[in-house]
Amino acid sequence: MIVVLKPHVDAEREAQLIDWFKSLGLGVHVSEGQFQTVLGLIGDTSSVDTDLVASLDIVDTVKRVTETFKCANRKFHPEDTIVEVGDVKIGGGNFTVIAGPCSVESEEQIVGIAKAVKAAGANMLRGGAFKPRTSPYDFQGLKAEGIELLKIARQETGLPIVTEIMNASDLPLFEDVDVLQVGARNTQNFDLLKELGHVKKPILLKRGIAGTLKELLMSAEYIMASGNENVILCERGIRSYSDYLRNTLDLAAVPMLHELTHLPVVVDPSHATGLARMVPPMALAATAAGCDGLLIEVHNDPPHALCDGAQSIRPEEFAKLYSKIQAVREASR
Ligand code: PEP
Ligand code: MN
């Protein structure tokens, strides 16, 4: 249930109302907007008399919400969430480009790529240290050493760092990481999501390999209901009937998610297509579709990359793409 309060209500009256809802065994999610406050009631609201609540003089409107996701629901929180990572803002009209190699391979590689993508305009550096690979015989990432190398790249460039966490027991290693990524294979690892709800760091949550939008939102809900509201959603393509591409990029997910949720939505055209030459057109299409940012794999030497070389673009290609992205943003304003 959603209770929208009248503008500028007395704080004491608001607190009394919240306490009353809590005494009925309900959770209360408070969203302070610029003009009005929205109370989202979580739990079994069937015994709450909506007419009685609506009749209170501090209440503007009361609505029952049937969707299963609450904290992530735009009805609970009408204004866009802006996730802040240092000086970088994601969501609410800001556009954030996250770039870097699939895997951190060496200091020279990650620092070189970080400098190149920064010079081209990227806002954050992403590189995998813990890699979820389909085959146990493939490169599994440099793990703790990879995180240390990302920190060196951050020191050299000032770019905040994003890297994937696969297991909550590794959390101490991620203490100094700016954004934790949950990969497509872990989108429904509910124990991991709950643990990330206790972390006060932004989470980049990818859509599951065959995940629906509702499943993605419910995964975000796990993190938010556990106390962490800094969630960035990522559309990275889903498994479908596509034969020549790694996945099918679901571009309509962008405006639909914007309708359903206040959380920022970024698009990953690299994993969505699996082919470097498909990345620029899909990045531009995603920008036109209104995403809040992009996650793009960039490698200095794609043929020799230890992971995802086929879908990695070179720094020069990234720089060209970056200016086209700005042109599309300008044109769709
Ligand atoms: C990745 O970001 O390198 C990755 C493994 O992506 P996904 O989880 O989307 O497959
Ligand atoms: Mn990858």
Side-chain angles (χ1 to χ4, degrees):
M1 183 185 285
I2 287 169
V3 180
V4 182
L5 302 185
K6 288 189 176 146
H8 316 296
V9 296
D10 180 60
E12 203 177 318
R13 300 283 314 282
E14 180 181 326
Q16 280 168 354
L17 183 61
I18 291 173
D19 284 346
W20 179 57
F21 289 134
K22 286 187 178 164
S23 75
L24 299 175
L26 299 168
V28 184
H29 177 277
V30 184
S31 168
E32 305 271 0
Q34 212 180 335
F35 303 106
Q36 284 181 294
T37 298
V38 178
L39 306 181
L41 307 190
I42 302 166
D44 180 8
T45 55
S46 53
S47 62
V48 179
D49 181 344
T50 44
D51 291 335
L52 173 68
V53 177
S55 71
L56 300 175
D57 61 356
I58 62 167
V59 171
D60 188 352
T61 45
V62 181
K63 273 184 267 178
R64 282 206 181 271
V65 180
T66 46
E67 285 97 333
T68 40
F69 58 102
K70 311 279 184 203
C71 304
N73 202 314
R74 195 179 275 285
K75 288 180 189 160
F76 263 46
H77 186 298
E79 287 171 31
D80 288 346
T81 281
I82 300 176
V83 174
E84 295 191 19
V85 185
D87 296 338
V88 180
K89 291 186 168 67
I90 307 136
N94 299 285
F95 197 83
T96 314
V97 179
I98 307 166
C102 183
S103 310
V104 179
E105 298 171 8
S106 67
E107 179 173 337
E108 193 190 358
Q109 177 242 20
I110 193 67
V111 172
I113 296 173
K115 286 184 176 164
V117 298
K118 159 119 189 195
N123 310 98
M124 290 206 263
L125 173 69
R126 196 208 70 125
F130 289 83
K131 293 305 306 174
R133 304 302 301 274
T134 301
S135 165
Y137 308 117
D138 286 340
F139 177 58
Q140 304 285 307
L142 295 180
K143 304 190 169 75
E145 187 197 343
I147 295 182
E148 291 310 309
L149 298 181
L150 281 167
K151 289 192 218 165
I152 295 174
R154 175 177 59 195
Q155 208 167 7
E156 295 279 328
T157 58
L159 292 176
I161 52 178
V162 184
T163 195
E164 176 164 356
I165 183 161
M166 287 163 53
N167 195 319
S169 65
D170 293 328
L171 264 171
L173 295 172
F174 288 73
E175 214 148 87
D176 210 15
V177 167
D178 301 295
V179 178
L180 308 186
Q181 174 179 322
V182 175
R185 289 153 192 82
N186 266 319
T187 310
Q188 290 193 309
N189 180 341
F190 302 120
D191 286 340
L192 174 64
L193 300 177
K194 280 188 255 181
E195 283 301 322
L196 296 179
H198 303 304
V199 173
K200 295 288 167 247
K201 278 181 194 293
I203 310 295
L204 177 76
L205 177 66
K206 289 200 164 193
R207 182 173 181 179
I209 288 179
T212 63
L213 295 184
K214 189 174 279 173
E215 284 164 346
L216 174 62
L217 291 165
M218 291 312 292
S219 293
E221 196 73 17
Y222 263 97
I223 301 169
M224 299 175 85
S226 302
N228 185 356
E229 307 228 317
N230 290 310
V231 180
I232 305 154
L233 303 175
C234 179
E235 162 59 36
R236 45 78 74 201
I238 39 170
R239 183 68 58 86
S240 76
Y241 301 103
S242 183
D243 45 5
Y244 292 98
L245 294 153
R246 185 170 176 177
N247 288 297
T248 297
L249 178 55
D250 180 8
L251 278 182
V254 174
M256 182 50 89
L257 285 170
H258 278 150
E259 257 181 52
L260 296 167
T261 179
H262 51 89
L263 297 173
V265 180
V266 303
V267 171
D268 168 355
S270 308
H271 293 88
T273 62
L275 291 169
R277 65 183 185 281
M278 299 293 144
V279 170
M282 290 301 98
L284 298 175
T287 306
C291 64
D292 298 291
L294 293 162
L295 192 161
I296 297 174
E297 284 193 343
V298 179
H299 197 285
N300 54 316
D301 183 10
H304 295 106
L306 295 182
C307 182
D308 285 349
Q311 67 192 34
S312 300
I313 60 172
R314 295 172 188 272
E316 318 78 84
E317 293 167 312
F318 175 74
K320 272 193 210 145
L321 173 58
Y322 187 89
S323 33
K324 288 187 187 168
I325 291 166
Q326 300 312 319
V328 169
R329 278 200 24 92
E330 205 51 54
S332 34
R333 234 185 265 279

Short mmCIF file of all heavy atoms in Angstrom, two decimals, residues 131-140 185 209 239 246:
data_model
loop_
_atom_site.label_atom_id
_atom_site.label_comp_id
_atom_site.label_asym_id
_atom_site.label_seq_id
_atom_site.Cartn_x
_atom_site.Cartn_y
_atom_site.Cartn_z
N LYS A 131 36.21 -14.48 -12.14
CA LYS A 131 35.46 -14.68 -13.38
C LYS A 131 34.58 -15.93 -13.33
O LYS A 131 35.09 -17.03 -13.10
CB LYS A 131 36.45 -14.85 -14.56
CG LYS A 131 37.26 -13.62 -14.90
CD LYS A 131 36.42 -12.39 -15.20
CE LYS A 131 35.37 -12.57 -16.25
NZ LYS A 131 34.51 -11.36 -16.38
N PRO A 132 33.28 -15.76 -13.59
CA PRO A 132 32.40 -16.92 -13.64
C PRO A 132 32.48 -17.53 -15.05
O PRO A 132 31.87 -17.03 -15.97
CB PRO A 132 31.02 -16.29 -13.40
CG PRO A 132 31.15 -14.90 -13.95
CD PRO A 132 32.59 -14.50 -13.89
N ARG A 133 33.26 -18.57 -15.24
CA ARG A 133 33.44 -19.14 -16.58
C ARG A 133 32.63 -20.42 -16.74
O ARG A 133 32.51 -21.21 -15.80
CB ARG A 133 34.93 -19.45 -16.82
CG ARG A 133 35.85 -18.25 -16.64
CD ARG A 133 35.49 -17.08 -17.55
NE ARG A 133 35.52 -17.37 -18.96
CZ ARG A 133 36.60 -17.32 -19.73
NH1 ARG A 133 37.76 -16.95 -19.22
NH2 ARG A 133 36.54 -17.61 -21.02
N THR A 134 32.12 -20.63 -17.92
CA THR A 134 31.32 -21.82 -18.18
C THR A 134 32.17 -23.08 -17.99
O THR A 134 31.70 -24.09 -17.48
CB THR A 134 30.73 -21.75 -19.61
OG1 THR A 134 29.95 -20.57 -19.68
CG2 THR A 134 29.88 -22.97 -19.92
N SER A 135 33.44 -23.00 -18.41
CA SER A 135 34.32 -24.16 -18.26
C SER A 135 35.28 -23.95 -17.09
O SER A 135 35.92 -22.91 -16.98
CB SER A 135 35.14 -24.36 -19.54
OG SER A 135 36.20 -25.25 -19.27
N PRO A 136 35.44 -24.99 -16.26
CA PRO A 136 36.39 -24.86 -15.15
C PRO A 136 37.84 -24.83 -15.62
O PRO A 136 38.74 -24.52 -14.85
CB PRO A 136 36.11 -26.11 -14.30
CG PRO A 136 35.52 -27.09 -15.25
CD PRO A 136 34.75 -26.29 -16.26
N TYR A 137 38.06 -25.15 -16.90
CA TYR A 137 39.44 -25.15 -17.43
C TYR A 137 39.84 -23.79 -17.99
O TYR A 137 40.97 -23.58 -18.35
CB TYR A 137 39.58 -26.23 -18.52
CG TYR A 137 39.08 -27.57 -18.03
CD1 TYR A 137 38.00 -28.21 -18.62
CD2 TYR A 137 39.67 -28.18 -16.91
CE1 TYR A 137 37.52 -29.41 -18.14
CE2 TYR A 137 39.18 -29.38 -16.42
CZ TYR A 137 38.11 -29.99 -17.04
OH TYR A 137 37.63 -31.16 -16.54
N ASP A 138 38.86 -22.88 -18.11
CA ASP A 138 39.18 -21.54 -18.63
C ASP A 138 39.72 -20.65 -17.51
O ASP A 138 39.51 -20.91 -16.32
CB ASP A 138 37.92 -20.90 -19.24
CG ASP A 138 37.58 -21.54 -20.59
OD1 ASP A 138 38.47 -22.16 -21.20
OD2 ASP A 138 36.41 -21.42 -21.02
N PHE A 139 40.38 -19.55 -17.93
CA PHE A 139 40.96 -18.57 -16.99
C PHE A 139 39.91 -18.11 -15.98
O PHE A 139 38.85 -17.61 -16.37
CB PHE A 139 41.49 -17.39 -17.81
CG PHE A 139 42.06 -16.26 -16.98
CD1 PHE A 139 43.11 -16.48 -16.10
CD2 PHE A 139 41.55 -14.97 -17.12
CE1 PHE A 139 43.63 -15.43 -15.35
CE2 PHE A 139 42.07 -13.92 -16.39
CZ PHE A 139 43.11 -14.16 -15.50
N GLN A 140 40.21 -18.26 -14.73
CA GLN A 140 39.23 -17.96 -13.67
C GLN A 140 39.42 -16.57 -13.04
O GLN A 140 38.72 -16.23 -12.10
CB GLN A 140 39.33 -19.02 -12.56
CG GLN A 140 39.16 -20.46 -13.05
CD GLN A 140 37.71 -20.81 -13.39
OE1 GLN A 140 36.82 -20.63 -12.57
NE2 GLN A 140 37.47 -21.31 -14.59
N ARG A 185 24.99 -14.92 -13.91
CA ARG A 185 24.86 -16.28 -13.35
C ARG A 185 24.48 -16.25 -11.87
O ARG A 185 24.11 -17.27 -11.29
CB ARG A 185 26.16 -17.06 -13.56
CG ARG A 185 26.38 -17.40 -15.01
CD ARG A 185 27.85 -17.56 -15.34
NE ARG A 185 28.02 -17.62 -16.79
CZ ARG A 185 28.07 -16.55 -17.59
NH1 ARG A 185 27.93 -15.34 -17.10
NH2 ARG A 185 28.24 -16.68 -18.88
N ILE A 209 20.56 -14.79 -17.08
CA ILE A 209 20.74 -15.28 -18.45
C ILE A 209 19.40 -15.51 -19.17
O ILE A 209 19.29 -15.22 -20.35
CB ILE A 209 21.60 -16.56 -18.42
CG1 ILE A 209 23.04 -16.13 -18.10
CG2 ILE A 209 21.52 -17.35 -19.72
CD1 ILE A 209 24.04 -17.22 -18.02
N ARG A 239 19.10 -15.16 -23.14
CA ARG A 239 19.18 -16.34 -24.00
C ARG A 239 17.86 -16.47 -24.76
O ARG A 239 16.79 -16.44 -24.15
CB ARG A 239 19.42 -17.56 -23.10
CG ARG A 239 19.60 -18.87 -23.76
CD ARG A 239 20.87 -19.00 -24.56
NE ARG A 239 22.12 -18.80 -23.88
CZ ARG A 239 22.79 -19.76 -23.20
NH1 ARG A 239 22.29 -20.95 -23.06
NH2 ARG A 239 23.95 -19.49 -22.65
N ARG A 246 25.51 -13.86 -29.31
CA ARG A 246 25.63 -14.54 -28.01
C ARG A 246 24.32 -14.54 -27.24
O ARG A 246 23.96 -15.52 -26.59
CB ARG A 246 26.73 -13.82 -27.19
CG ARG A 246 27.05 -14.48 -25.88
CD ARG A 246 28.30 -13.86 -25.26
NE ARG A 246 28.56 -14.43 -23.95
CZ ARG A 246 29.61 -14.13 -23.20
NH1 ARG A 246 30.51 -13.26 -23.62
NH2 ARG A 246 29.79 -14.69 -22.03
#
